[in-house]
Amino acid sequence: MSSRVTGYATIAVACLAQLIVTVDMTVLHLAAPALSAQLDASSVTMLWIVDIYGLTMAGLLVTLGNLGDRLGRRRMLVWGVSAFAVASVLAAYAPNVEMLIVARALLGVAGAAILPATTSLLRVVFTTQKARTAAVGASAGFSAAGFAVGPIVGGLLLNQFWWGSVFLVNVPILLLVLAAARFIPESRAPQRLPLDLTSVLLSVVGVVAAVYTIKAVFFVGLWHLDVMTALVLGVVALGLFARRQRRLPVPLIDLRLFQNRQFSTSVGSNLVAVFTLSAFGLIISQYFQVVREWTPLNAGIAYVPGALAAVLAGGLLAATTINRIGRGFAVALGLVLAAIGFALLASVEAHSPYGLVVVAQIAVGAGAGLTLTVTSDTILGTVPRDRAGAAAAISVTAYELGGSLGIAIIGSVLSGIYRAKLVLPDGLPQGVVDQVRGSFSAAVANGLPEPVATAVRTAATEAYLSGIRTSMAFSAAITVVLALVVVKFLRGVPKVIDQEPVHEPDAARGA
């Protein structure tokens, strides 16, 4: 088998697999109303349907990334893709909410097997910096585009089919991935790497508890019993996990990696970049559907420019940008582009020209594609090939945490500002006031007689737009700050990272 065929197959598998896994993070945004009505799902069960996917994935990324290094990365990819296809069928035809929650959890497990495997295969197959950066760029661009493609797919399918179609569409694409995976050689760590089951348990418990705390604290408050229990459990488990990793001869996560400035800065940049990107996706989705009252199909199509920009910037421009200005400035450039897009949306109005939103989307998409490509390539280039899966798992875990933080924090800021700025007409029944204050969607579909209905919608829209503008201004500010940090801490990182990093003998680690 020629190296060219292997390279093309690896890129195709990485792009399609990453796209499918990321799309499933956002595809339910448009399907949620229909799904809730047909399955008679409560607001609590809907939260579980949406969140269980990310929770299970985040908790298992480190473990399954390490298993890929030990058992074979291609094997882990094939297992994950096969499981994702089966779980997609189960989700599509779930007869009740309980079955759908189980299917979404299985999708999360499969996604945790797929993401580190695809990323680490890029590190193993492409051994030169130029080829690796181009391959990682295409993959990262598709991954970033997945935030936008999810609503596109949801809009197109919901315009013609039932809610289950948003899961069923995964199957033919996953079959293509399995067919292409036949052309990828197997790879694993050359030496036997023992798997410490105690570390596995502590990592799963710690990460799941941490992500649950992040998601829940902004909805029910820190002092809720469930949240406090999860917080304490997460802190204790992660503390014990970190302590154990320092003592093991072959740890699940080599914490010494974080002493490497370029590695730790790149991981942190991934987290913050995805934080702002997920917030952007949430807000744009709400703006198109609720503020402008577009159909799901039109709202989905409106995402196309940003998705294309992410793919093109990551796949075509990243390598050239690194060679011209260096890694630190390339990441900073991507962050500044994203900040420009956020700043443009900080001036949005109810009937702003679509061109303004298009320019903002292109800036954010291009910035995200460039940033995530360079940071992901830097992470992969600075670890030994035999631990590529473990490093990829760290990167993707930061990705997941960033997404959870972005939606939770920015969503809460948006809701808080909406309630604070909302000024309703006098004389409304208290039940209507409570409903409108609790949800902007309720204000849009209030069922009140005219002219009161128009007055309520106008007041709610202006309050909601205030939340959007503040959230986007905040995202722009933290992105600019991160750009300055990146320039400082990635200064001096070589443009070309082709050397195999030194992997210390176990004896050198000490007891």
Side-chain angles (χ1 to χ4, degrees):
M1 187 187 305
S2 71
S3 60
R4 180 172 295 182
V5 172
T6 298
Y8 286 148
T10 305
I11 292 175
V13 164
C15 290
L16 291 176
Q18 295 252 9
L19 180 64
I20 285 293
V21 174
T22 311
V23 161
D24 265 47
M25 296 179 187
T26 57
V27 74
L28 284 185
H29 287 178
L30 296 180
L35 189 156
S36 177
Q38 292 184 32
L39 292 185
D40 193 26
S42 67
S43 58
V44 174
T45 54
M46 276 306 303
L47 281 175
W48 276 108
I49 290 169
V50 173
D51 289 344
I52 194 67
Y53 177 71
L55 281 172
T56 53
M57 190 187 303
L60 290 170
L61 280 167
V62 171
T63 297
L64 295 184
N66 275 271
L67 276 177
D69 287 334
R70 289 160 168 80
L71 303 179
R73 301 174 184 103
R74 179 185 173 277
R75 178 180 296 175
M76 188 61 64
L77 170 68
V78 169
W79 288 349
V81 169
S82 301
F84 207 97
V86 172
S88 295
V89 175
L90 291 176
Y93 294 104
N96 50 54
V97 292
E98 292 80 11
M99 187 64 198
L100 183 55
I101 290 172
V102 170
R104 287 281 288 173
L106 292 175
L107 284 169
V109 175
I114 292 170
L115 289 181
T118 55
T119 305
S120 57
L121 281 170
L122 294 175
R123 172 71 173 96
V124 173
V125 171
F126 297 96
T127 55
T128 65
Q129 190 256 319
K130 183 178 180 181
R132 187 187 64 239
T133 301
V136 170
S139 174
F142 269 79
S143 183
F147 282 101
V149 171
I152 294 171
V153 171
L156 291 171
L157 292 174
L158 291 172
N159 198 56
Q160 298 291 332
F161 306 106
W162 93 113
W163 61 265
S165 62
V166 302
F167 297 110
L168 208 58
V169 72
N170 294 338
V171 177
I173 300 174
L174 292 166
L175 292 177
L176 285 175
V177 172
L178 287 175
R182 296 171 53 232
F183 299 98
I184 302 174
E186 183 59 280
S187 67
R188 59 175 60 86
Q191 71 272 29
R192 178 180 174 84
L193 297 175
L195 186 67
D196 181 59
L197 295 181
T198 301
S199 295
V200 169
L201 178 62
L202 289 172
S203 72
V204 172
V205 172
V207 173
V208 170
V211 174
Y212 178 83
T213 301
I214 290 168
K215 286 177 174 290
V217 71
F218 293 98
F219 292 97
V220 298
L222 176 61
W223 304 112
H224 194 277
L225 179 60
D226 289 351
V227 180
M228 285 300 299
T229 302
L231 175 62
V232 172
L233 186 62
V235 169
V236 171
L238 290 176
L240 292 174
F241 175 80
R243 181 183 178 188
R244 188 171 182 84
Q245 301 318 292
R246 296 190 189 98
R247 297 181 174 183
L248 290 173
V250 183
L252 200 63
I253 290 181
D254 189 348
L255 297 180
R256 295 175 304 164
L257 288 173
F258 289 96
Q259 297 173 6
N260 183 317
R261 186 185 64 188
Q262 57 203 50
F263 180 87
S264 56
T265 302
S266 296
V267 170
S269 298
N270 265 7
L271 189 152
V272 177
V274 175
F275 172 96
T276 54
L277 184 62
S278 61
F280 176 81
L282 171 68
I283 284 174
I284 283 291
S285 173
Q286 294 293 309
Y287 176 75
F288 285 149
Q289 294 179 78
V290 187
V291 175
R292 304 196 74 148
E293 300 183 66
W294 288 359
T295 65
L297 177 61
N298 290 338
I301 293 172
Y303 278 92
V304 170
L308 289 176
V311 173
L312 293 175
L316 300 179
L317 301 179
T320 301
T321 306
I322 289 173
N323 290 333
R324 287 185 178 275
I325 62 176
R327 290 177 179 269
F329 285 109
V331 175
L333 174 61
L335 293 169
V336 169
L337 283 173
I340 290 171
F342 297 141
L344 287 173
L345 276 186
S347 64
V348 74
E349 300 287 348
H351 299 289
S352 292
Y354 177 58
L356 172 70
V357 184
V358 168
V359 173
Q361 284 189 89
I362 290 173
V364 172
L370 181 58
T371 297
L372 294 175
T373 296
V374 180
T375 54
S376 298
D377 181 68
T378 304
I379 290 168
L380 289 180
T382 53
V383 297
R385 288 195 190 112
D386 64 343
R387 302 309 306 274
I394 295 172
S395 176
V396 180
T397 302
Y399 202 103
E400 286 294 312
L401 289 174
S404 299
L405 280 167
I407 292 174
I409 294 176
I410 300 299
S412 299
V413 168
L414 182 60
S415 298
I417 293 173
Y418 166 72
R419 289 190 294 270
K421 295 285 187 179
L422 183 62
V423 180
L424 293 171
D426 295 331
L428 289 176
Q430 188 59 44
V432 173
V433 172
D434 293 340
Q435 218 175 15
V436 172
R437 286 193 178 279
S439 168
F440 177 52
S441 300
V444 174
N446 56 58
L448 295 170
E450 294 292 354
V452 177
T454 299
V456 169
R457 281 196 297 271
T458 301
T461 298
E462 186 52 43
Y464 198 75
L465 286 171
S466 294
I468 288 178
R469 290 191 286 264
T470 302
S471 300
M472 288 294 92
F474 174 72
S475 295
I478 63 172
T479 306
V480 169
V481 171
L482 177 61
L484 297 174
V485 171
V486 163
V487 168
K488 178 178 179 180
F489 286 99
L490 289 185
R491 181 188 305 158
V493 176
K495 296 178 182 179
V496 177
I497 308 177
D498 274 342
Q499 72 274 19
E500 182 70 22
V502 176
H503 194 58
E504 293 182 22
D506 292 346
R509 295 180 55 85

